[in-house]
Structure formats: C-alpha cells, structure tokens
Coordinates of all heavy atoms in Angstrom, one line a residue:
M40 N -3.7 7.2 11.3 CA -3.5 8.3 10.3 C -4.6 8.3 9.3 O -5.0 7.2 8.7 CB -2.1 8.0 9.5 CG -0.9 7.9 10.5 SD 0.5 7.3 9.6 CE 1.0 8.7 8.6
L41 N -5.1 9.5 9.0 CA -6.2 9.6 8.1 C -5.7 10.2 6.7 O -4.9 11.1 6.7 CB -7.3 10.6 8.6 CG -8.1 10.1 9.8 CD1 -9.0 11.2 10.4 CD2 -9.0 8.9 9.4
F42 N -6.3 9.6 5.7 CA -6.0 10.0 4.3 C -7.3 10.1 3.5 O -8.1 9.2 3.6 CB -5.1 9.0 3.6 CG -3.7 8.9 4.2 CD1 -3.5 7.9 5.3 CD2 -2.6 9.6 3.8 CE1 -2.3 7.8 5.8 CE2 -1.4 9.5 4.4 CZ -1.2 8.6 5.4
A43 N -7.4 11.2 2.7 CA -8.4 11.3 1.7 C -7.8 10.8 0.4 O -6.7 11.2 0.1 CB -8.9 12.7 1.5
V44 N -8.4 9.9 -0.3 CA -7.9 9.3 -1.5 C -8.9 9.4 -2.6 O -10.0 9.0 -2.4 CB -7.5 7.8 -1.3 CG1 -6.9 7.2 -2.6 CG2 -6.4 7.7 -0.2
R45 N -8.5 10.1 -3.7 CA -9.4 10.1 -4.9 C -8.9 9.1 -5.9 O -7.7 9.0 -6.2 CB -9.3 11.5 -5.5 CG -10.1 11.5 -6.8 CD -10.3 12.9 -7.4 NE -10.9 12.8 -8.7 CZ -11.5 13.8 -9.3 NH1 -11.7 14.9 -8.7 NH2 -12.0 13.6 -10.5
M46 N -9.8 8.3 -6.4 CA -9.5 7.3 -7.4 C -10.3 7.5 -8.6 O -11.6 7.6 -8.5 CB -9.8 5.9 -6.9 CG -9.1 5.5 -5.6 SD -9.6 3.8 -5.1 CE -9.4 4.0 -3.3
D47 N -9.7 7.7 -9.7 CA -10.3 7.9 -11.0 C -10.1 6.6 -11.8 O -8.9 6.2 -12.0 CB -9.8 9.1 -11.8 CG -10.0 10.4 -11.1 OD1 -11.2 10.7 -10.8 OD2 -9.0 11.1 -10.7
V48 N -11.2 6.0 -12.2 CA -11.1 4.7 -12.9 C -11.1 4.9 -14.4 O -11.9 5.6 -14.9 CB -12.2 3.7 -12.5 CG1 -12.0 2.4 -13.1 CG2 -12.4 3.7 -11.0
D49 N -10.1 4.3 -15.1 CA -10.0 4.4 -16.6 C -9.8 3.0 -17.1 O -8.6 2.6 -17.4 CB -8.9 5.3 -16.9 CG -8.9 5.6 -18.4 OD1 -9.9 5.3 -19.1 OD2 -7.9 6.2 -18.9
L50 N -10.9 2.2 -17.3 CA -10.7 0.9 -17.8 C -10.6 0.9 -19.4 O -11.3 1.7 -20.0 CB -12.0 0.0 -17.5 CG -12.1 -0.3 -16.0 CD1 -13.5 -1.0 -15.7 CD2 -11.0 -1.3 -15.6
P51 N -9.7 0.1 -19.9 CA -9.6 0.1 -21.4 C -10.9 -0.2 -22.1 O -11.7 -1.1 -21.6 CB -8.6 -1.0 -21.7 CG -8.0 -1.4 -20.4 CD -8.9 -0.9 -19.3
R52 N -11.2 0.5 -23.1 CA -12.5 0.3 -23.8 C -12.6 -1.1 -24.4 O -13.7 -1.6 -24.6 CB -12.6 1.3 -25.0 CG -12.9 2.7 -24.4 CD -13.0 3.7 -25.6 NE -12.9 5.1 -25.1 CZ -13.8 5.8 -24.4 NH1 -15.0 5.2 -24.3 NH2 -13.6 7.0 -24.0
D53 N -11.5 -1.7 -24.7 CA -11.5 -3.0 -25.4 C -11.4 -4.2 -24.4 O -11.2 -5.3 -24.8 CB -10.4 -3.1 -26.5 CG -9.0 -2.9 -25.9 OD1 -8.9 -2.6 -24.7 OD2 -8.0 -3.1 -26.6
L54 N -11.6 -3.9 -23.1 CA -11.5 -4.9 -22.1 C -12.7 -5.9 -22.3 O -13.8 -5.4 -22.4 CB -11.5 -4.3 -20.7 CG -11.2 -5.2 -19.5 CD1 -9.7 -5.6 -19.6 CD2 -11.4 -4.4 -18.2
A55 N -12.4 -7.2 -22.3 CA -13.5 -8.1 -22.5 C -14.5 -8.0 -21.4 O -14.1 -7.8 -20.2 CB -13.0 -9.5 -22.6
P56 N -15.9 -8.0 -21.7 CA -16.9 -7.9 -20.6 C -16.7 -8.8 -19.4 O -16.8 -8.4 -18.3 CB -18.2 -8.2 -21.3 CG -17.9 -7.9 -22.8 CD -16.5 -8.2 -23.0
A57 N -16.3 -10.1 -19.7 CA -16.1 -11.0 -18.6 C -14.9 -10.6 -17.7 O -15.0 -10.7 -16.4 CB -15.9 -12.4 -19.1
E58 N -13.9 -10.1 -18.3 CA -12.7 -9.7 -17.5 C -13.1 -8.4 -16.7 O -12.7 -8.3 -15.5 CB -11.6 -9.3 -18.5 CG -10.2 -9.4 -17.9 CD -9.1 -9.2 -18.9 OE1 -9.2 -9.5 -20.1 OE2 -8.1 -8.6 -18.4
R59 N -13.9 -7.5 -17.3 CA -14.3 -6.3 -16.6 C -15.1 -6.7 -15.4 O -14.9 -6.2 -14.3 CB -15.1 -5.5 -17.6 CG -15.5 -4.1 -17.0 CD -16.4 -3.4 -18.0 NE -16.5 -2.0 -17.7 CZ -17.2 -1.4 -16.8 NH1 -17.9 -2.2 -15.9 NH2 -17.2 -0.1 -16.6
E60 N -16.1 -7.6 -15.6 CA -16.9 -8.1 -14.5 C -16.1 -8.7 -13.4 O -16.4 -8.4 -12.2 CB -17.9 -9.1 -15.0 CG -19.3 -8.5 -15.4 CD -20.2 -9.6 -15.9 OE1 -20.3 -10.7 -15.3 OE2 -20.8 -9.4 -17.0
D61 N -15.1 -9.5 -13.8 CA -14.3 -10.2 -12.8 C -13.5 -9.2 -12.0 O -13.4 -9.2 -10.7 CB -13.4 -11.2 -13.5 CG -12.4 -11.8 -12.5 OD1 -12.9 -12.5 -11.6 OD2 -11.2 -11.7 -12.7
L62 N -12.9 -8.2 -12.7 CA -12.1 -7.2 -12.0 C -13.0 -6.4 -11.0 O -12.6 -6.2 -9.8 CB -11.6 -6.2 -13.0 CG -10.2 -6.3 -13.6 CD1 -10.0 -5.3 -14.7 CD2 -9.2 -6.1 -12.5
V63 N -14.1 -6.0 -11.4 CA -15.0 -5.1 -10.6 C -15.5 -5.9 -9.4 O -15.5 -5.4 -8.3 CB -16.2 -4.5 -11.4 CG1 -17.2 -3.9 -10.6 CG2 -15.6 -3.5 -12.5
A64 N -15.8 -7.2 -9.6 CA -16.2 -8.0 -8.5 C -15.1 -8.2 -7.5 O -15.3 -8.2 -6.2 CB -16.7 -9.4 -9.0
R65 N -13.9 -8.4 -8.0 CA -12.7 -8.6 -7.0 C -12.5 -7.3 -6.3 O -12.1 -7.3 -5.1 CB -11.5 -9.1 -7.8 CG -11.7 -10.6 -8.2 CD -10.4 -11.2 -8.7 NE -10.0 -10.7 -10.0 CZ -8.8 -10.1 -10.2 NH1 -8.0 -9.8 -9.2 NH2 -8.5 -9.6 -11.4
E66 N -12.6 -6.2 -7.0 CA -12.4 -4.9 -6.4 C -13.4 -4.7 -5.3 O -13.1 -4.2 -4.2 CB -12.5 -3.8 -7.5 CG -12.3 -2.4 -7.0 CD -10.9 -1.9 -6.9 OE1 -10.0 -2.7 -7.3 OE2 -10.6 -0.8 -6.5
R67 N -14.7 -5.0 -5.5 CA -15.7 -4.8 -4.5 C -15.4 -5.7 -3.3 O -15.5 -5.2 -2.2 CB -17.1 -5.2 -5.1 CG -18.2 -5.1 -4.1 CD -19.6 -5.3 -4.7 NE -19.9 -4.3 -5.7 CZ -20.2 -4.5 -7.0 NH1 -20.3 -5.8 -7.4 NH2 -20.4 -3.6 -7.8
A68 N -15.1 -6.9 -3.5 CA -14.8 -7.8 -2.4 C -13.6 -7.3 -1.5 O -13.7 -7.3 -0.3 CB -14.5 -9.2 -2.9
Y69 N -12.6 -6.8 -2.2 CA -11.4 -6.3 -1.6 C -11.7 -5.1 -0.7 O -11.3 -5.0 0.4 CB -10.3 -6.0 -2.6 CG -9.0 -5.5 -2.2 CD1 -8.0 -6.4 -1.9 CD2 -8.7 -4.1 -2.1 CE1 -6.7 -5.9 -1.5 CE2 -7.5 -3.6 -1.8 CZ -6.5 -4.5 -1.4 OH -5.3 -4.0 -1.1
S70 N -12.5 -4.2 -1.4 CA -12.9 -2.9 -0.7 C -13.8 -3.2 0.5 O -13.6 -2.6 1.6 CB -13.6 -2.0 -1.7 OG -14.3 -1.0 -1.1
Q71 N -14.7 -4.1 0.3 CA -15.7 -4.4 1.4 C -15.0 -5.0 2.6 O -15.3 -4.8 3.8 CB -16.9 -5.2 0.9 CG -17.7 -4.3 0.0 CD -19.0 -5.0 -0.6 OE1 -19.1 -6.2 -0.5 NE2 -19.9 -4.2 -1.1
E72 N -14.0 -5.9 2.3 CA -13.3 -6.5 3.5 C -12.5 -5.4 4.3 O -12.5 -5.4 5.5 CB -12.3 -7.5 2.9 CG -11.6 -8.3 4.0 CD -10.7 -9.4 3.5 OE1 -10.9 -9.9 2.3 OE2 -9.8 -9.8 4.3
L73 N -11.9 -4.5 3.6 CA -11.2 -3.4 4.3 C -12.2 -2.5 5.0 O -11.8 -1.9 6.1 CB -10.3 -2.6 3.3 CG -9.1 -3.4 2.8 CD1 -8.5 -2.9 1.5 CD2 -8.0 -3.5 3.9
Q74 N -13.3 -2.3 4.4 CA -14.4 -1.5 5.1 C -14.8 -2.1 6.4 O -14.9 -1.5 7.4 CB -15.6 -1.2 4.2 CG -15.3 -0.3 3.0 CD -16.4 -0.1 2.1 OE1 -17.5 0.3 2.5 NE2 -16.2 -0.5 0.8
R75 N -15.0 -3.5 6.3 CA -15.5 -4.2 7.5 C -14.4 -4.1 8.6 O -14.7 -4.0 9.8 CB -15.8 -5.7 7.2 CG -17.1 -5.8 6.5 CD -17.5 -7.3 6.3 NE -18.3 -7.4 5.2 CZ -17.9 -7.8 4.0 NH1 -16.6 -8.2 3.8 NH2 -18.7 -7.9 2.9
G76 N -13.1 -4.1 8.2 CA -12.0 -4.1 9.1 C -11.7 -2.7 9.6 O -10.9 -2.5 10.6
G77 N -12.4 -1.7 9.0 CA -12.3 -0.3 9.6 C -11.2 0.6 8.9 O -11.1 1.8 9.1
E78 N -10.3 0.0 8.1 CA -9.2 0.8 7.5 C -9.8 1.6 6.4 O -9.2 2.7 6.1 CB -8.1 -0.1 7.0 CG -7.3 -0.7 8.1 CD -6.1 -1.5 7.6 OE1 -6.3 -2.5 6.9 OE2 -4.9 -1.2 8.0
W79 N -10.8 1.1 5.7 CA -11.4 1.9 4.6 C -12.7 2.5 5.2 O -13.7 1.9 5.2 CB -11.7 1.0 3.4 CG -12.0 1.7 2.1 CD1 -12.7 2.9 1.9 CD2 -11.6 1.3 0.8 NE1 -12.7 3.2 0.6 CE2 -12.1 2.2 -0.1 CE3 -10.9 0.2 0.3 CZ2 -11.9 2.1 -1.5 CZ3 -10.7 0.0 -1.1 CH2 -11.2 1.0 -2.0
A80 N -12.6 3.7 5.7 CA -13.6 4.3 6.6 C -14.8 4.8 5.8 O -15.9 4.7 6.4 CB -13.0 5.4 7.5
H81 N -14.6 5.4 4.7 CA -15.7 5.9 3.9 C -15.3 5.7 2.4 O -14.2 5.8 2.0 CB -15.9 7.4 4.1 CG -16.3 7.8 5.4 ND1 -17.6 7.9 5.8 CD2 -15.6 8.2 6.5 CE1 -17.8 8.2 7.0 NE2 -16.5 8.4 7.5
I82 N -16.4 5.5 1.6 CA -16.2 5.6 0.1 C -17.4 6.3 -0.4 O -18.6 6.0 -0.1 CB -16.0 4.2 -0.5 CG1 -15.9 4.3 -2.0 CG2 -17.1 3.2 -0.1 CD1 -15.3 3.1 -2.7
W83 N -17.2 7.3 -1.2 CA -18.2 8.1 -1.9 C -18.0 8.2 -3.4 O -16.9 8.4 -3.8 CB -18.2 9.6 -1.3 CG -18.5 9.6 0.2 CD1 -17.6 9.6 1.2 CD2 -19.8 9.6 0.7 NE1 -18.3 9.7 2.4 CE2 -19.7 9.7 2.1 CE3 -21.1 9.6 0.2 CZ2 -20.7 9.7 3.0 CZ3 -22.2 9.6 1.1 CH2 -22.0 9.7 2.5
R84 N -19.0 8.0 -4.1 CA -19.0 8.2 -5.6 C -18.9 9.7 -5.8 O -19.7 10.5 -5.2 CB -20.2 7.6 -6.2 CG -20.3 7.7 -7.7 CD -19.2 7.0 -8.5 NE -19.3 5.6 -8.6 CZ -18.2 4.8 -8.5 NH1 -17.0 5.2 -8.3 NH2 -18.4 3.4 -8.7
I85 N -18.1 10.2 -6.8 CA -18.1 11.6 -7.2 C -19.2 11.6 -8.3 O -19.1 10.9 -9.3 CB -16.7 12.0 -7.8 CG1 -15.7 11.9 -6.6 CG2 -16.8 13.4 -8.3 CD1 -14.3 12.2 -7.1
V86 N -20.2 12.5 -8.1 CA -21.3 12.6 -9.0 C -20.9 12.8 -10.5 O -20.1 13.7 -10.7 CB -22.3 13.7 -8.6 CG1 -23.4 13.8 -9.6 CG2 -22.9 13.3 -7.2
G87 N -21.4 11.9 -11.3 CA -21.1 12.1 -12.8 C -19.8 11.5 -13.3 O -19.5 11.6 -14.4
L88 N -19.0 10.9 -12.4 CA -17.7 10.4 -12.8 C -17.6 8.9 -12.3 O -18.2 8.5 -11.4 CB -16.6 11.2 -12.1 CG -16.5 12.7 -12.5 CD1 -15.4 13.4 -11.7 CD2 -16.3 12.9 -14.0
Y89 N -16.7 8.2 -13.0 CA -16.4 6.9 -12.6 C -15.1 7.0 -11.6 O -14.0 6.7 -12.0 CB -16.1 5.9 -13.7 CG -15.9 4.4 -13.4 CD1 -16.2 4.0 -12.1 CD2 -15.6 3.5 -14.3 CE1 -16.0 2.6 -11.8 CE2 -15.5 2.2 -14.0 CZ -15.7 1.7 -12.7 OH -15.6 0.4 -12.4
S90 N -15.4 7.7 -10.5 CA -14.4 8.1 -9.5 C -15.0 8.0 -8.1 O -16.2 8.1 -8.0 CB -14.0 9.5 -9.8 OG -13.6 9.7 -11.1
N91 N -14.1 7.8 -7.2 CA -14.5 7.9 -5.8 C -13.6 8.7 -5.0 O -12.4 8.9 -5.3 CB -14.7 6.5 -5.2 CG -13.4 5.8 -4.9 OD1 -12.7 6.2 -3.9 ND2 -13.0 4.9 -5.7
I92 N -14.1 9.2 -3.9 CA -13.3 9.8 -2.8 C -13.5 8.9 -1.6 O -14.6 8.6 -1.2 CB -13.6 11.2 -2.5 CG1 -13.2 12.1 -3.7 CG2 -12.9 11.7 -1.2 CD1 -13.4 13.6 -3.6
S93 N -12.4 8.4 -1.1 CA -12.4 7.5 0.1 C -11.6 8.1 1.2 O -10.6 8.9 1.0 CB -11.8 6.2 -0.3 OG -12.7 5.5 -1.2
I94 N -12.0 7.7 2.4 CA -11.2 8.0 3.6 C -10.6 6.7 4.2 O -11.4 5.8 4.4 CB -12.0 8.7 4.7 CG1 -12.7 10.0 4.2 CG2 -11.2 9.1 5.9 CD1 -11.8 11.1 3.8
F95 N -9.3 6.7 4.3 CA -8.6 5.6 4.9 C -8.1 5.9 6.3 O -7.6 7.1 6.5 CB -7.4 5.1 4.0 CG -7.9 4.4 2.8 CD1 -8.2 5.2 1.6 CD2 -8.0 3.1 2.7 CE1 -8.7 4.5 0.5 CE2 -8.5 2.4 1.6 CZ -8.8 3.2 0.5
D96 N -8.2 5.0 7.2 CA -7.7 5.2 8.6 C -6.7 4.0 8.8 O -7.1 2.9 9.1 CB -8.9 5.1 9.6 CG -8.4 5.5 11.0 OD1 -7.2 5.7 11.2 OD2 -9.3 5.6 11.8
V97 N -5.4 4.3 8.6 CA -4.4 3.3 8.6 C -3.2 3.7 9.5 O -3.1 4.8 9.9 CB -3.9 3.0 7.2 CG1 -4.9 2.4 6.3 CG2 -3.3 4.3 6.6
D98 N -2.4 2.7 9.8 CA -1.3 2.9 10.8 C -0.1 3.7 10.2 O 0.7 4.2 10.9 CB -0.8 1.6 11.4 CG -1.8 1.0 12.4 OD1 -2.6 1.8 12.9 OD2 -1.8 -0.2 12.6
S99 N 0.1 3.6 8.9 CA 1.3 4.1 8.3 C 1.1 4.4 6.8 O 0.2 3.9 6.2 CB 2.4 3.1 8.4 OG 2.1 2.0 7.7
N100 N 2.0 5.2 6.3 CA 2.0 5.5 4.8 C 2.2 4.1 4.1 O 1.6 3.9 3.0 CB 3.2 6.4 4.4 CG 3.0 7.8 4.9 OD1 2.0 8.1 5.5 ND2 4.0 8.6 4.6
A101 N 3.1 3.3 4.7 CA 3.4 2.0 4.0 C 2.2 1.1 3.9 O 2.0 0.5 2.9 CB 4.5 1.3 4.8
R102 N 1.3 1.2 5.0 CA 0.1 0.4 5.0 C -0.8 0.9 3.9 O -1.5 0.1 3.2 CB -0.5 0.4 6.4 CG -1.9 -0.4 6.4 CD -1.8 -1.8 6.1 NE -3.1 -2.5 6.1 CZ -3.5 -3.5 5.3 NH1 -2.6 -4.0 4.4 NH2 -4.7 -4.0 5.4
L103 N -0.9 2.2 3.8 CA -1.8 2.8 2.7 C -1.3 2.3 1.4 O -2.1 1.9 0.5 CB -1.9 4.3 2.8 CG -2.9 4.9 1.8 CD1 -4.3 4.4 2.0 CD2 -2.8 6.4 1.8
H104 N 0.0 2.4 1.2 CA 0.6 2.0 -0.1 C 0.3 0.6 -0.4 O -0.1 0.2 -1.6 CB 2.1 2.3 -0.1 CG 2.7 2.0 -1.5 ND1 2.5 2.9 -2.5 CD2 3.3 0.9 -1.9 CE1 3.1 2.3 -3.6 NE2 3.6 1.2 -3.3
E105 N 0.4 -0.3 0.6 CA 0.1 -1.7 0.4 C -1.3 -1.9 0.0 O -1.6 -2.7 -0.9 CB 0.4 -2.4 1.8 CG 0.2 -3.9 1.8 CD 0.5 -4.5 3.1 OE1 0.0 -4.0 4.2 OE2 1.3 -5.5 3.2
I106 N -2.3 -1.2 0.7 CA -3.7 -1.3 0.4 C -3.9 -0.9 -1.1 O -4.6 -1.6 -1.9 CB -4.6 -0.5 1.3 CG1 -4.6 -1.2 2.7 CG2 -6.0 -0.4 0.8 CD1 -5.2 -0.4 3.8
L107 N -3.4 0.3 -1.4 CA -3.8 0.9 -2.7 C -3.1 0.1 -3.9 O -3.8 -0.2 -4.9 CB -3.3 2.3 -2.8 CG -4.0 3.3 -1.8 CD1 -3.5 4.7 -2.0 CD2 -5.5 3.3 -2.1
S108 N -1.9 -0.4 -3.7 CA -1.2 -1.1 -4.7 C -1.8 -2.5 -4.9 O -1.6 -3.2 -5.9 CB 0.3 -1.1 -4.6 OG 0.6 -1.7 -3.3
G109 N -2.6 -3.0 -3.8 CA -3.2 -4.3 -3.9 C -4.6 -4.3 -4.5 O -5.2 -5.3 -4.7
L110 N -5.1 -3.1 -4.9 CA -6.4 -3.0 -5.5 C -6.4 -3.7 -6.8 O -5.6 -3.4 -7.7 CB -6.8 -1.5 -5.7 CG -7.1 -0.7 -4.5 CD1 -7.0 0.8 -4.9 CD2 -8.5 -1.0 -4.0
P111 N -7.4 -4.6 -7.0 CA -7.5 -5.3 -8.4 C -7.5 -4.3 -9.5 O -7.0 -4.6 -10.6 CB -8.7 -6.1 -8.3 CG -8.9 -6.4 -6.8 CD -8.4 -5.2 -6.1
L112 N -8.1 -3.1 -9.3 CA -8.2 -2.1 -10.4 C -6.9 -1.2 -10.5 O -6.9 -0.3 -11.3 CB -9.4 -1.2 -10.2 CG -10.8 -1.8 -10.5 CD1 -11.9 -0.8 -10.3 CD2 -10.9 -2.3 -12.0
F113 N -6.0 -1.5 -9.6 CA -4.8 -0.6 -9.5 C -4.2 -0.2 -10.8 O -3.9 1.0 -11.1 CB -3.7 -1.2 -8.6 CG -2.6 -0.3 -8.3 CD1 -2.6 0.8 -7.5 CD2 -1.3 -0.6 -8.9 CE1 -1.6 1.7 -7.3 CE2 -0.2 0.3 -8.7 CZ -0.4 1.4 -7.9
P114 N -4.0 -1.1 -11.8 CA -3.4 -0.7 -13.1 C -4.2 0.3 -13.8 O -3.7 0.9 -14.8 CB -3.3 -2.0 -13.8 CG -3.4 -3.1 -12.8 CD -4.3 -2.6 -11.7
F115 N -5.5 0.4 -13.5 CA -6.4 1.3 -14.2 C -6.9 2.5 -13.4 O -7.9 3.1 -13.8 CB -7.6 0.5 -14.7 CG -7.2 -0.8 -15.3 CD1 -7.5 -2.0 -14.7 CD2 -6.6 -0.8 -16.6 CE1 -7.1 -3.2 -15.3 CE2 -6.2 -2.0 -17.2 CZ -6.5 -3.2 -16.5
L116 N -6.2 2.8 -12.4 CA -6.6 3.9 -11.5 C -5.6 5.1 -11.6 O -4.3 4.8 -11.6 CB -6.6 3.5 -10.0 CG -7.7 2.4 -9.7 CD1 -7.5 2.0 -8.2 CD2 -9.1 2.9 -10.0
R117 N -6.1 6.3 -11.5 CA -5.3 7.4 -11.2 C -5.6 7.8 -9.8 O -6.8 7.9 -9.4 CB -5.6 8.6 -12.1 CG -4.5 9.7 -12.1 CD -4.7 10.8 -13.1 NE -5.9 11.6 -12.7 CZ -5.8 12.6 -11.9 NH1 -4.6 13.0 -11.4 NH2 -6.9 13.3 -11.6
I118 N -4.6 7.8 -8.9 CA -4.8 7.9 -7.5 C -4.1 9.2 -6.9 O -3.0 9.4 -7.3 CB -4.3 6.7 -6.7 CG1 -5.0 5.4 -7.2 CG2 -4.4 6.9 -5.2 CD1 -4.5 4.1 -6.5
E119 N -4.9 9.9 -6.2 CA -4.3 11.1 -5.5 C -4.6 11.0 -4.0 O -5.7 10.8 -3.6 CB -5.2 12.4 -5.9 CG -4.5 13.2 -6.9 CD -5.5 14.4 -7.3 OE1 -6.0 15.0 -6.3 OE2 -5.7 14.6 -8.5
V120 N -3.5 11.1 -3.2 CA -3.6 10.9 -1.8 C -3.3 12.2 -1.1 O -2.4 12.9 -1.4 CB -2.5 9.9 -1.3 CG1 -2.5 9.7 0.2 CG2 -2.7 8.5 -2.0
T121 N -4.2 12.5 -0.1 CA -4.1 13.7 0.7 C -4.1 13.4 2.1 O -5.1 12.9 2.7 CB -5.3 14.7 0.4 OG1 -5.4 15.0 -1.0 CG2 -5.1 16.0 1.1
P122 N -3.0 13.6 2.8 CA -3.0 13.3 4.3 C -3.8 14.3 5.0 O -3.8 15.5 4.6 CB -1.5 13.5 4.7 CG -0.7 13.6 3.4 CD -1.7 14.1 2.4
L123 N -4.5 13.9 6.1 CA -5.4 14.7 6.8 C -5.0 14.9 8.3 O -4.4 13.9 8.8 CB -6.9 14.2 6.8 CG -7.5 13.9 5.4 CD1 -8.8 13.2 5.5 CD2 -7.7 15.3 4.6
T124 N -5.3 16.0 8.8 CA -5.2 16.2 10.3 C -6.4 16.9 10.8 O -7.1 17.5 10.0 CB -3.8 16.9 10.6 OG1 -3.6 16.7 12.1 CG2 -3.8 18.3 10.2
A125 N -6.5 17.0 12.1 CA -7.7 17.6 12.7 C -7.7 19.1 12.4 O -6.7 19.7 12.4 CB -7.7 17.4 14.2
H126 N -8.9 19.6 12.1 CA -9.1 21.0 11.9 C -9.3 21.7 13.2 O -10.1 21.2 14.0 CB -10.3 21.3 10.9 CG -10.3 22.7 10.4 ND1 -10.7 23.7 11.2 CD2 -10.0 23.2 9.2 CE1 -10.6 24.9 10.5 NE2 -10.1 24.5 9.3
P127 N -8.7 22.8 13.5 CA -8.8 23.5 14.8 C -10.2 24.0 15.1 O -10.6 24.2 16.2 CB -7.8 24.6 14.7 CG -7.5 24.8 13.3 CD -7.7 23.5 12.6
S128 N -11.1 24.1 14.0 CA -12.4 24.6 14.3 C -13.4 23.5 14.4 O -14.6 23.7 14.5 CB -12.9 25.5 13.1 OG -12.0 26.6 13.0
A129 N -13.0 22.2 14.2 CA -13.9 21.1 14.2 C -14.6 21.0 15.6 O -13.9 21.1 16.6 CB -13.2 19.8 13.8
I130 N -15.9 20.7 15.6 CA -16.6 20.5 16.9 C -16.7 19.1 17.3 O -17.2 18.7 18.3 CB -17.9 21.2 16.9 CG1 -18.9 20.7 15.8 CG2 -17.7 22.8 16.8 CD1 -20.3 21.1 16.0
R131 N -16.4 18.1 16.4 CA -16.3 16.7 16.8 C -15.2 16.0 16.0 O -14.7 16.5 15.1 CB -17.6 16.0 16.7 CG -18.4 16.2 15.4 CD -19.7 15.5 15.5 NE -20.9 16.3 15.5 CZ -21.3 17.1 14.4 NH1 -20.6 17.0 13.3 NH2 -22.3 17.8 14.5
Ligands
LIG146 O1 -15.9 2.1 -8.4 C1 -14.9 2.7 -8.0 O2 -14.9 3.8 -7.5 C2 -13.5 1.9 -8.0 C3 -13.4 1.0 -6.9 C4 -13.1 1.4 -5.5 C5 -13.8 0.5 -4.7 C6 -14.6 -0.3 -5.4 O3 -15.4 -1.1 -5.1 O4 -14.5 0.0 -6.8

C-alpha cells in the first residue's frame, strides 16, 4: 500500500540545542533504517520549508501508523496522510 505523507516540523524555539541535535540525529537514523528496508520509499524536502513529502510502501494502515507514531520528532510534527493508487494514465 502506497501513501504520500507530508510532515511539517515545528520544533519549540526554546528547545536546548543539544536536545534538538539529539532528536534530529535519532530521526535521521530511524528514517534511514526504514529507507534501507524499503518501507520509506522516497523523502523530498519541500523547498523553503522545514517540511518533507515522503512516500511509504507498507503492508497496512496500522503499519504506517506504527512507523509515524514512532518518529522521534512525532510530538513536533503536523502529518497529513494521502493514500495512493495507480493512475490509469500512468505508463510505468
Ligand atoms: O527533516 C524532516 O523533514 C523531518 C524528518 C523526517 C525524516 C528525517 O530525517 O527528518
């Protein structure tokens, strides 16, 4: 099952720099592990924003929820999920 997921990051301005660095490092490691495993198929930065659009390829809604709610940055994200299906005009 494919999903487009938009994540907008809103870290508190008063977050201690060390805590911010730790969160971002843990987020990167978590994301890269899922990318290596194939469930996090794409991640793109939205130009000019601290936001991304990602494509997930997972077995179920429950698995996507598990992945998203496990993100270290989860408390600081606004997340929008769009389920995808094949477009009839797609050539691949
Ligand atoms: O920077 C972001 O867009 C937020 C987050 C999502 C994956 C990751 O490594 O960081």
Side-chain angles (χ1 to χ4, degrees):
M40 300 169 74
L41 289 172
F42 296 89
V44 178
R45 175 173 170 153
M46 302 177 209
D47 299 300
V48 186
D49 189 14
L50 289 172
R52 287 180 198 281
D53 60 353
L54 195 63
E58 203 178 328
R59 184 184 200 284
E60 266 178 42
D61 175 62
L62 262 176
V63 170
R65 287 192 291 117
E66 180 84 1
R67 177 173 299 123
Y69 182 88
S70 163
Q71 290 182 343
E72 187 175 338
L73 289 160
Q74 289 176 60
R75 282 188 211 98
E78 288 184 302
W79 196 323
H81 294 273
I82 180 167
W83 296 95
R84 179 63 77 215
I85 300 177
V86 174
L88 298 176
Y89 191 5
S90 304
N91 74 74
I92 290 183
S93 292
I94 304 294
F95 286 86
D96 187 356
V97 292
D98 286 341
S99 64
N100 290 359
R102 176 61 182 148
L103 182 64
H104 185 76
E105 181 179 49
I106 288 172
L107 296 178
S108 57
L110 288 162
L112 285 179
F113 184 73
F115 311 109
L116 296 176
R117 197 173 70 84
I118 299 177
E119 258 178 47
V120 176
T121 305
L123 302 174
T124 192
H126 193 286
S128 303
I130 60 167
R131 47 181 113 71

